[in-house]
Amino acid sequence: SAAPAGGVTLTAAVRNEGAPVPPGVSVAFYDGDPGKGGRLVGTAATTTRLRGGETEDVSVTVPAASVNDLWVVADDDGTGLG
């Protein structure tokens, strides 16, 4: 979607399939496979407690045309760790 100042907002749905988790689950957005040197373009975190089966959307805004191959990783704070 369009964002202010020529940016693009990237949104991912984070779904919990296990036991309840508190707010603050880290989510990293990459241009390319992070396991093969993909470039970190932003991070976000959940803001609500997620019970099993619940979903929350998280978003980051990046410069337009800065992502060609989007990968999103939950439990990743941008360093490859949760």
Side-chain angles (χ1 to χ4, degrees):
S1 64
V8 175
T9 300
L10 307 173
T11 301
V14 177
R15 182 173 174 86
N16 180 17
E17 292 292 339
V21 294
V25 174
S26 299
V27 181
F29 293 72
Y30 293 91
D31 183 16
D33 182 346
K36 296 181 180 177
R39 180 178 56 87
L40 178 69
V41 295
T43 59
T46 59
T47 60
T48 60
R49 175 183 171 93
L50 293 176
R51 293 174 181 81
E54 292 183 333
T55 303
E56 180 182 344
D57 288 347
V58 296
S59 300
V60 296
T61 300
V62 300
S66 66
V67 178
N68 297 305
D69 182 21
L70 180 63
W71 288 65
V72 181
V73 183
D75 279 337
D76 179 349
D77 63 5
T79 65
L81 304 172

